Amino acid sequence: MRALDRHTIETLGVAGEVLMESAGRAVVETVLDALEPAGEVVIVCGGGNNGGDGLVAARHLQLLGRTVRVALLADPQRLTGDAARNLARARAAGVAIGRDDWALPTAGVVVDALFGTGLSRHIEGPAAEAVAKINRCRGRAHIVAVDLPSGVCSDSGAVLGCAVEADTTVTLGLPKLGLALEPARSLAGRVIVARIGIADSAAGTSPGAELWTRAGVGRALPERAVAGHKGSFGHALIVAGSEGKTGAAALAAIGAARTGAGLVTIACPAGLNDILEIKCTEAMTVPVPDTPERAFSAGAVDVVIGLAATRGAVGLGPGLGRSAETQAFVCELAKRLDRPLVIDADGLMPFAEVPGLLAARTAVTLLTPHPGEAAHLLGVETAEINRDRPAMARRLAERTGALVALKGAATVIAAPDGRLAINPTGGPALAAGGTGDVLLGMATALLVQRMAPFEALLAAAFVHGAAADRIARRHGPSGLLAGDLAAEIPASMQELREAGAGASGLPAEDRRLAVPFPEP
């Protein structure tokens, strides 16, 4: 955004003051929507451009006859450029401007104009006290954040020490990546994108991230030809299971079937074949050589390679176990397999030591780790993964040459070339054993239906979360079973397809200068 801002000013010739004026007016519109007739407005301003936006808003509200006060946390003598000019204009318009003794409103709106995208350090001292004071207004005043809630990182969504808890965020120009990620996503409240005249793109700027809408996913899902048959919709091979973990294999297979794969086969340890034939009647099973502990043996590689020759894609990992022989089987299979491969759970474990093995594969590889598994693959602590999930997902994709879906609140999908997407669906209902196995089956099913790999991984995550959201709306955020989730997939996909069929870009009424994020 900073690069696009410079491009707009320096190349397109739009004065920074014009952009600041537009930003302040956008904030005014949001304040007026939330403000009761007798309410007052307190605007808490920092010393940078974010504070300048707040000063513009204060001037306009004053001229509209609203009761408005500014708490300026910076030394007025140290303001420069556009912010300093707008401080003078606000004073000339009669805006009451104070420093450290600003009072909380008993009703009305508090505007957070402290920090924007330039914040790179933890908030402390008087600024931290101001953030705490703003948050104490919650419940009696509507809190509006300018661009970002002060204290959140625009790139990762992390909290830098402390952060404002906003009811509405007016983000300027384009949405910021952090606003799609937790905890910033929850701290931002309702997000409005104010199109203030900053260019959407410029040569030399780094690629942005994608956030697909329901309609976008619906249009991307595989079509179901009227004259199609089970052979038309692909054959998925699931390589999974060990003693005590046959459920993982069954859930992955059911996830694939529910997502539309025409045929599903489970390759399982021979000693577990009878169990899986009973547990999962919708899939075929093939017993392969196993160890005395009923896990995959090294001798299973040739059999699985033979099975994969007539299947469109392979899902590997759920419930495999972590014995040395099974892990050796995983590495050899990945090395020799020439089919698209989706790997999760125990199947990920050996590649921490040999990431180059995945990078050397000629067929596409998709990984679906949770933060703990990603930390194992990168040799870091889980906390480091969660501090900057987009950066860690990209690092893992670069390290392995694979597409990565880093699971969690707002799953991050990354490609080795830097492409990034955030999945907005799903929530705490998915915190249940087996839901990841279902996701692996879903991604495998979309691959065999010939979706492009990145889109298949993103669509699988989106539908997976949307199915969980449907269940949570009916039954609440706890108690979801992985089998319930799989059963919900067809209805979720149909709902998304209908959304896609009814939308072609943004509806005319949404072609405005301020639009909701995510767009409907």
Side-chain angles (χ1 to χ4, degrees), residues 411-490:
T411 289
V412 178
I413 295 91
D417 64 2
R419 186 179 180 187
L420 192 78
I422 310 298
N423 175 50
T425 64
L430 284 171
T435 57
D437 304 324
V438 174
L439 177 63
L440 174 127
M442 296 174 69
T444 308
L446 292 176
L447 286 175
V448 303
Q449 292 172 82
R450 298 183 179 84
M451 275 194 80
F454 188 91
E455 285 70 16
L457 191 55
L458 177 52
F462 195 107
V463 175
H464 185 259
D469 292 341
R470 285 171 55 91
I471 295 172
R473 286 194 293 270
R474 297 196 303 269
H475 303 301
S478 60
L480 177 147
L481 299 179
D484 298 338
L485 178 68
E488 197 74 19
I489 292 169

Coordinates of all heavy atoms in Angstrom, one line a residue, residues 411-490:
T411 N -7.2 -20.0 7.1 CA -6.1 -20.9 6.5 C -5.4 -20.1 5.4 O -6.1 -19.4 4.6 CB -6.8 -22.1 5.9 OG1 -7.2 -23.0 7.0 CG2 -5.8 -22.9 5.0
V412 N -4.1 -20.2 5.3 CA -3.3 -19.5 4.4 C -2.8 -20.5 3.3 O -2.3 -21.5 3.6 CB -2.1 -18.9 5.0 CG1 -1.2 -18.2 4.0 CG2 -2.5 -17.9 6.1
I413 N -3.1 -20.2 2.0 CA -2.6 -21.0 0.9 C -1.5 -20.3 0.2 O -1.7 -19.2 -0.2 CB -3.8 -21.3 0.0 CG1 -4.9 -22.2 0.7 CG2 -3.3 -22.1 -1.3 CD1 -6.0 -21.4 1.3
A414 N -0.4 -21.0 0.1 CA 0.8 -20.4 -0.6 C 1.4 -21.3 -1.6 O 1.3 -22.5 -1.5 CB 1.9 -20.1 0.5
A415 N 2.0 -20.6 -2.6 CA 2.6 -21.3 -3.7 C 4.1 -21.0 -3.8 O 4.5 -19.9 -3.3 CB 2.0 -21.0 -5.1
P416 N 5.0 -21.8 -4.3 CA 6.4 -21.5 -4.4 C 6.7 -20.2 -5.1 O 7.7 -19.6 -4.8 CB 7.0 -22.7 -5.1 CG 6.0 -23.8 -4.9 CD 4.7 -23.2 -4.8
D417 N 5.9 -19.8 -6.0 CA 6.1 -18.5 -6.8 C 5.7 -17.3 -6.0 O 5.7 -16.2 -6.6 CB 5.5 -18.6 -8.2 CG 3.9 -18.7 -8.1 OD1 3.4 -18.7 -7.0 OD2 3.3 -18.8 -9.2
G418 N 5.2 -17.4 -4.8 CA 4.8 -16.3 -4.0 C 3.3 -16.0 -4.0 O 2.8 -15.2 -3.2
R419 N 2.5 -16.7 -4.8 CA 1.1 -16.5 -4.8 C 0.5 -16.9 -3.5 O 0.9 -17.9 -2.9 CB 0.4 -17.3 -5.9 CG -1.0 -17.1 -6.1 CD -1.6 -17.9 -7.2 NE -3.0 -17.7 -7.4 CZ -3.8 -18.4 -8.2 NH1 -3.3 -19.4 -8.9 NH2 -5.1 -18.1 -8.3
L420 N -0.4 -16.1 -3.0 CA -0.9 -16.3 -1.6 C -2.4 -16.0 -1.6 O -2.9 -15.1 -2.3 CB -0.3 -15.3 -0.7 CG -0.5 -15.5 0.8 CD1 0.4 -16.6 1.3 CD2 -0.2 -14.2 1.6
A421 N -3.2 -16.8 -0.8 CA -4.6 -16.6 -0.7 C -5.0 -16.9 0.8 O -4.3 -17.7 1.5 CB -5.4 -17.5 -1.6
I422 N -6.0 -16.2 1.2 CA -6.5 -16.4 2.6 C -7.9 -17.0 2.5 O -8.7 -16.4 1.7 CB -6.5 -15.1 3.4 CG1 -5.2 -14.4 3.3 CG2 -6.9 -15.4 4.8 CD1 -4.0 -15.1 3.9
N423 N -8.2 -18.0 3.3 CA -9.5 -18.6 3.3 C -10.4 -18.0 4.4 O -10.0 -18.1 5.6 CB -9.5 -20.1 3.4 CG -10.9 -20.7 3.6 OD1 -11.7 -20.4 2.8 ND2 -11.1 -21.4 4.6
P424 N -11.5 -17.3 4.1 CA -12.2 -16.6 5.1 C -13.2 -17.5 5.9 O -13.9 -17.0 6.8 CB -13.0 -15.5 4.4 CG -13.2 -16.2 3.0 CD -12.0 -17.0 2.7
T425 N -13.4 -18.8 5.5 CA -14.5 -19.6 6.1 C -13.9 -20.4 7.2 O -12.7 -20.6 7.3 CB -15.1 -20.5 5.0 OG1 -14.2 -21.4 4.5 CG2 -15.7 -19.7 3.9
G426 N -14.8 -21.0 8.0 CA -14.4 -21.9 9.1 C -14.3 -21.1 10.4 O -14.2 -19.9 10.4
G427 N -14.2 -21.9 11.4 CA -14.1 -21.3 12.8 C -13.8 -22.4 13.8 O -13.3 -23.5 13.5
P428 N -14.1 -22.1 15.1 CA -13.7 -23.0 16.1 C -14.4 -24.3 16.1 O -14.0 -25.3 16.7 CB -14.1 -22.2 17.4 CG -15.0 -21.2 17.0 CD -14.6 -20.8 15.6
A429 N -15.5 -24.4 15.3 CA -16.2 -25.7 15.1 C -15.3 -26.7 14.5 O -15.5 -27.9 14.8 CB -17.5 -25.5 14.3
L430 N -14.3 -26.3 13.8 CA -13.4 -27.2 13.1 C -12.3 -27.8 14.0 O -11.5 -28.7 13.6 CB -12.7 -26.5 11.9 CG -13.6 -26.4 10.7 CD1 -12.9 -25.5 9.7 CD2 -13.9 -27.7 10.0
A431 N -12.3 -27.3 15.3 CA -11.3 -27.8 16.2 C -11.7 -29.2 16.8 O -12.1 -29.3 17.9 CB -11.1 -26.8 17.4
A432 N -11.7 -30.2 15.9 CA -12.2 -31.5 16.3 C -11.4 -32.5 15.5 O -11.1 -32.3 14.3 CB -13.7 -31.7 16.0
G433 N -11.0 -33.6 16.1 CA -10.3 -34.6 15.4 C -10.9 -35.2 14.2 O -12.1 -35.4 14.1
G434 N -10.1 -35.4 13.1 CA -10.6 -35.9 11.9 C -11.0 -34.9 10.8 O -11.2 -35.3 9.6
T435 N -11.2 -33.7 11.2 CA -11.6 -32.7 10.2 C -10.5 -32.5 9.1 O -10.8 -32.2 7.9 CB -12.0 -31.3 10.8 OG1 -10.9 -30.8 11.6 CG2 -13.2 -31.5 11.7
G436 N -9.2 -32.6 9.6 CA -8.2 -32.4 8.6 C -8.1 -33.6 7.6 O -7.7 -33.4 6.5
D437 N -8.5 -34.8 8.1 CA -8.5 -35.9 7.2 C -9.6 -35.7 6.1 O -9.3 -36.1 4.9 CB -8.9 -37.2 8.0 CG -7.9 -37.5 9.1 OD1 -6.7 -37.2 9.0 OD2 -8.3 -37.9 10.2
V438 N -10.7 -35.1 6.5 CA -11.7 -34.8 5.5 C -11.2 -33.8 4.4 O -11.4 -34.0 3.2 CB -13.0 -34.2 6.2 CG1 -14.0 -33.8 5.1 CG2 -13.6 -35.3 7.1
L439 N -10.4 -32.8 4.9 CA -9.9 -31.8 4.0 C -8.9 -32.5 3.0 O -9.0 -32.1 1.8 CB -9.2 -30.7 4.8 CG -8.5 -29.7 3.9 CD1 -9.5 -28.9 3.1 CD2 -7.6 -28.7 4.8
L440 N -8.1 -33.4 3.4 CA -7.2 -34.1 2.5 C -8.0 -34.8 1.4 O -7.7 -34.7 0.2 CB -6.3 -35.1 3.2 CG -5.5 -35.9 2.3 CD1 -4.0 -35.9 2.7 CD2 -5.9 -37.4 2.3
G441 N -9.1 -35.5 1.8 CA -9.9 -36.2 0.8 C -10.5 -35.2 -0.2 O -10.6 -35.5 -1.4
M442 N -10.9 -34.0 0.3 CA -11.6 -33.0 -0.5 C -10.6 -32.5 -1.6 O -11.0 -32.4 -2.7 CB -12.1 -31.9 0.3 CG -13.2 -32.3 1.3 SD -13.7 -30.9 2.4 CE -14.5 -29.8 1.3
A443 N -9.4 -32.2 -1.1 CA -8.4 -31.6 -2.1 C -8.1 -32.7 -3.1 O -7.9 -32.4 -4.3 CB -7.2 -31.2 -1.3
T444 N -7.9 -33.9 -2.7 CA -7.6 -35.0 -3.7 C -8.8 -35.2 -4.7 O -8.5 -35.3 -5.9 CB -7.4 -36.3 -2.9 OG1 -6.4 -36.1 -1.9 CG2 -6.9 -37.4 -3.8
A445 N -10.0 -35.1 -4.2 CA -11.2 -35.2 -5.1 C -11.2 -34.1 -6.1 O -11.6 -34.3 -7.3 CB -12.5 -35.2 -4.3
L446 N -10.9 -32.9 -5.7 CA -10.9 -31.8 -6.7 C -9.8 -31.9 -7.7 O -10.0 -31.5 -8.9 CB -10.9 -30.4 -5.9 CG -12.1 -30.1 -5.1 CD1 -11.9 -28.8 -4.3 CD2 -13.4 -30.0 -5.9
L447 N -8.7 -32.4 -7.3 CA -7.6 -32.7 -8.3 C -8.1 -33.7 -9.3 O -7.8 -33.5 -10.5 CB -6.4 -33.2 -7.6 CG -5.6 -32.1 -6.8 CD1 -4.4 -32.8 -6.1 CD2 -5.0 -31.0 -7.7
V448 N -8.7 -34.8 -8.9 CA -9.1 -35.8 -9.9 C -10.2 -35.3 -10.8 O -10.4 -35.9 -11.9 CB -9.5 -37.1 -9.2 CG1 -8.4 -37.7 -8.4 CG2 -10.8 -37.0 -8.4
Q449 N -10.9 -34.2 -10.4 CA -11.9 -33.6 -11.2 C -11.3 -32.5 -12.1 O -12.0 -31.7 -12.7 CB -13.1 -33.1 -10.4 CG -13.9 -34.2 -9.7 CD -14.9 -33.7 -8.7 OE1 -16.0 -33.2 -9.1 NE2 -14.5 -33.7 -7.5
R450 N -10.0 -32.5 -12.1 CA -9.2 -31.6 -13.0 C -9.3 -30.1 -12.7 O -9.1 -29.3 -13.6 CB -9.6 -31.9 -14.5 CG -9.4 -33.3 -15.0 CD -9.8 -33.5 -16.4 NE -9.6 -34.8 -16.9 CZ -10.4 -35.8 -16.7 NH1 -11.6 -35.6 -16.1 NH2 -10.2 -37.0 -17.2
M451 N -9.4 -29.8 -11.4 CA -9.2 -28.4 -11.1 C -7.7 -28.1 -11.0 O -6.9 -29.0 -10.7 CB -9.8 -28.2 -9.7 CG -11.3 -27.8 -9.6 SD -11.8 -27.1 -8.0 CE -11.3 -25.4 -8.2
A452 N -7.3 -26.9 -11.4 CA -5.9 -26.5 -11.2 C -5.5 -26.6 -9.8 O -6.3 -26.4 -8.9 CB -5.8 -25.1 -11.7
P453 N -4.3 -27.1 -9.5 CA -3.9 -27.4 -8.1 C -4.1 -26.3 -7.1 O -4.6 -26.5 -6.0 CB -2.4 -27.8 -8.3 CG -2.3 -28.3 -9.7 CD -3.3 -27.4 -10.5
F454 N -3.7 -25.1 -7.4 CA -3.8 -24.0 -6.4 C -5.3 -23.7 -6.1 O -5.7 -23.6 -5.0 CB -3.1 -22.7 -6.9 CG -3.1 -21.6 -5.9 CD1 -2.0 -21.5 -5.1 CD2 -4.1 -20.7 -5.8 CE1 -1.9 -20.4 -4.1 CE2 -4.1 -19.6 -4.9 CZ -3.0 -19.5 -4.0
E455 N -6.1 -23.7 -7.2 CA -7.5 -23.4 -7.0 C -8.2 -24.6 -6.3 O -9.1 -24.4 -5.5 CB -8.2 -23.2 -8.4 CG -7.9 -21.9 -9.0 CD -6.5 -21.7 -9.5 OE1 -5.7 -22.7 -9.6 OE2 -6.1 -20.5 -9.7
A456 N -7.7 -25.8 -6.6 CA -8.3 -27.0 -5.9 C -8.0 -26.9 -4.4 O -8.9 -27.2 -3.6 CB -7.7 -28.3 -6.5
L457 N -6.8 -26.5 -4.0 CA -6.5 -26.4 -2.6 C -7.3 -25.3 -1.9 O -7.8 -25.5 -0.8 CB -5.0 -26.2 -2.4 CG -4.4 -26.3 -1.0 CD1 -4.7 -27.7 -0.4 CD2 -2.9 -26.1 -1.1
L458 N -7.4 -24.2 -2.6 CA -8.1 -23.1 -2.0 C -9.6 -23.4 -1.9 O -10.3 -23.2 -0.9 CB -7.9 -21.8 -2.9 CG -8.7 -20.6 -2.5 CD1 -8.5 -20.2 -1.0 CD2 -8.3 -19.4 -3.4
A459 N -10.2 -24.0 -3.0 CA -11.6 -24.3 -3.0 C -11.9 -25.4 -1.9 O -13.0 -25.3 -1.2 CB -12.0 -24.8 -4.3
A460 N -11.0 -26.4 -1.7 CA -11.2 -27.4 -0.7 C -11.3 -26.7 0.7 O -12.2 -27.1 1.5 CB -10.1 -28.4 -0.8
A461 N -10.4 -25.8 1.0 CA -10.4 -25.1 2.3 C -11.6 -24.3 2.4 O -12.2 -24.3 3.5 CB -9.1 -24.3 2.4
F462 N -12.0 -23.6 1.4 CA -13.2 -22.8 1.4 C -14.5 -23.6 1.7 O -15.3 -23.3 2.6 CB -13.4 -22.0 0.1 CG -14.3 -20.8 0.2 CD1 -13.8 -19.5 0.2 CD2 -15.7 -21.0 0.3 CE1 -14.7 -18.4 0.3 CE2 -16.5 -19.9 0.4 CZ -16.0 -18.6 0.4
V463 N -14.7 -24.7 0.9 CA -15.9 -25.5 1.1 C -15.9 -26.2 2.5 O -16.9 -26.3 3.2 CB -16.0 -26.5 0.0 CG1 -17.1 -27.5 0.2 CG2 -16.1 -25.8 -1.4
H464 N -14.7 -26.6 2.9 CA -14.5 -27.3 4.2 C -15.0 -26.3 5.3 O -15.8 -26.7 6.2 CB -13.0 -27.6 4.3 CG -12.6 -28.4 5.5 ND1 -12.0 -27.7 6.6 CD2 -12.6 -29.7 5.8 CE1 -11.7 -28.7 7.5 NE2 -12.0 -29.8 7.1
G465 N -14.5 -25.1 5.3 CA -14.9 -24.1 6.3 C -16.3 -23.7 6.2 O -17.0 -23.6 7.2
A466 N -16.8 -23.6 4.9 CA -18.2 -23.2 4.7 C -19.2 -24.3 5.3 O -20.2 -24.0 5.8 CB -18.5 -23.0 3.3
A467 N -18.8 -25.6 5.1 CA -19.6 -26.7 5.6 C -19.7 -26.6 7.1 O -20.7 -26.8 7.8 CB -19.1 -28.0 5.1
A468 N -18.5 -26.3 7.7 CA -18.5 -26.2 9.2 C -19.3 -25.0 9.7 O -20.0 -25.1 10.7 CB -17.0 -26.1 9.7
D469 N -19.3 -23.9 8.9 CA -20.1 -22.7 9.3 C -21.5 -23.1 9.2 O -22.3 -22.6 10.1 CB -19.7 -21.6 8.3 CG -18.3 -21.0 8.5 OD1 -17.7 -21.3 9.6 OD2 -17.8 -20.4 7.6
R470 N -22.0 -23.8 8.3 CA -23.4 -24.2 8.2 C -23.8 -25.0 9.4 O -24.9 -24.8 10.0 CB -23.6 -25.0 6.9 CG -23.6 -24.3 5.6 CD -23.7 -25.2 4.4 NE -24.8 -26.2 4.4 CZ -26.0 -25.9 3.9 NH1 -26.2 -24.8 3.3 NH2 -26.9 -26.9 4.0
I471 N -23.0 -25.9 9.8 CA -23.3 -26.7 11.0 C -23.3 -25.9 12.2 O -24.2 -26.0 13.1 CB -22.3 -27.9 11.1 CG1 -22.4 -28.9 10.0 CG2 -22.5 -28.6 12.5 CD1 -21.3 -29.9 9.9
A472 N -22.3 -24.9 12.4 CA -22.2 -24.1 13.5 C -23.5 -23.2 13.6 O -23.9 -22.9 14.8 CB -21.0 -23.3 13.5
R473 N -24.0 -22.7 12.5 CA -25.2 -21.9 12.6 C -26.4 -22.6 13.1 O -27.2 -22.1 13.8 CB -25.5 -21.3 11.2 CG -24.6 -20.2 10.7 CD -25.2 -19.5 9.5 NE -25.2 -20.4 8.3 CZ -24.2 -20.5 7.4 NH1 -23.1 -19.8 7.6 NH2 -24.4 -21.2 6.4
R474 N -26.4 -24.0 12.9 CA -27.5 -24.8 13.4 C -27.3 -25.2 14.8 O -28.2 -25.3 15.6 CB -27.7 -26.0 12.5 CG -28.1 -25.7 11.1 CD -28.7 -26.9 10.4 NE -27.8 -28.0 10.4 CZ -26.9 -28.3 9.4 NH1 -26.8 -27.4 8.4 NH2 -26.2 -29.3 9.4
H475 N -26.1 -25.6 15.2 CA -25.8 -26.3 16.4 C -24.8 -25.6 17.3 O -24.5 -26.1 18.4 CB -25.3 -27.7 16.1 CG -26.3 -28.5 15.3 ND1 -27.6 -28.8 15.7 CD2 -26.1 -29.1 14.1 CE1 -28.1 -29.5 14.7 NE2 -27.3 -29.7 13.8
G476 N -24.2 -24.5 16.9 CA -23.2 -23.8 17.7 C -21.8 -24.3 17.4 O -21.6 -25.2 16.6
P477 N -20.8 -23.6 18.0 CA -19.4 -23.8 17.6 C -18.7 -25.1 18.2 O -17.5 -25.3 18.0 CB -18.7 -22.6 18.1 CG -19.5 -22.2 19.4 CD -20.9 -22.6 19.1
S478 N -19.4 -25.9 19.0 CA -18.8 -27.1 19.6 C -19.6 -28.3 19.2 O -20.8 -28.2 18.9 CB -18.6 -26.9 21.1 OG -19.9 -26.8 21.7
G479 N -18.9 -29.4 19.3 CA -19.6 -30.7 19.1 C -19.6 -31.2 17.7 O -20.2 -32.3 17.5
L480 N -19.0 -30.5 16.8 CA -19.0 -31.0 15.4 C -18.2 -32.3 15.3 O -17.1 -32.4 15.9 CB -18.4 -29.9 14.5 CG -18.2 -30.2 13.0 CD1 -18.5 -29.0 12.2 CD2 -16.8 -30.8 12.7
L481 N -18.7 -33.3 14.6 CA -18.0 -34.5 14.3 C -17.5 -34.5 12.9 O -18.2 -33.9 12.0 CB -18.8 -35.7 14.5 CG -19.4 -35.9 15.9 CD1 -20.3 -37.2 16.0 CD2 -18.3 -36.1 17.0
A482 N -16.3 -35.0 12.6 CA -15.8 -35.0 11.3 C -16.7 -35.7 10.3 O -16.8 -35.2 9.1 CB -14.4 -35.7 11.3
G483 N -17.4 -36.7 10.7 CA -18.4 -37.4 9.8 C -19.5 -36.4 9.5 O -20.1 -36.4 8.4
D484 N -20.0 -35.6 10.5 CA -21.0 -34.6 10.2 C -20.5 -33.6 9.1 O -21.3 -33.2 8.3 CB -21.4 -33.8 11.5 CG -21.9 -34.7 12.6 OD1 -22.4 -35.8 12.3 OD2 -21.8 -34.3 13.7
L485 N -19.3 -33.2 9.3 CA -18.7 -32.3 8.3 C -18.7 -32.8 6.9 O -19.1 -32.1 6.0 CB -17.2 -31.9 8.7 CG -16.5 -31.0 7.8 CD1 -17.1 -29.6 7.9 CD2 -15.0 -30.9 8.2
A486 N -18.3 -34.1 6.8 CA -18.3 -34.7 5.4 C -19.7 -34.7 4.8 O -19.9 -34.5 3.6 CB -17.7 -36.1 5.5
A487 N -20.6 -35.1 5.7 CA -22.0 -35.1 5.2 C -22.6 -33.8 4.7 O -23.5 -33.7 3.9 CB -22.9 -35.7 6.3
E488 N -22.0 -32.7 5.2 CA -22.5 -31.4 4.9 C -21.9 -30.8 3.6 O -22.3 -29.8 3.1 CB -22.1 -30.4 6.1 CG -22.9 -29.1 6.1 CD -24.3 -29.2 6.5 OE1 -24.7 -30.3 7.2 OE2 -25.1 -28.3 6.2
I489 N -20.8 -31.5 3.1 CA -20.1 -31.0 1.9 C -21.0 -30.8 0.7 O -21.0 -29.7 0.1 CB -18.9 -31.9 1.6 CG1 -17.9 -31.8 2.7 CG2 -18.3 -31.5 0.2 CD1 -16.8 -32.8 2.6
P490 N -21.9 -31.8 0.3 CA -22.7 -31.5 -0.9 C -23.6 -30.3 -0.8 O -23.7 -29.6 -1.8 CB -23.4 -32.8 -1.0 CG -22.6 -33.9 -0.3 CD -22.0 -33.1 0.8

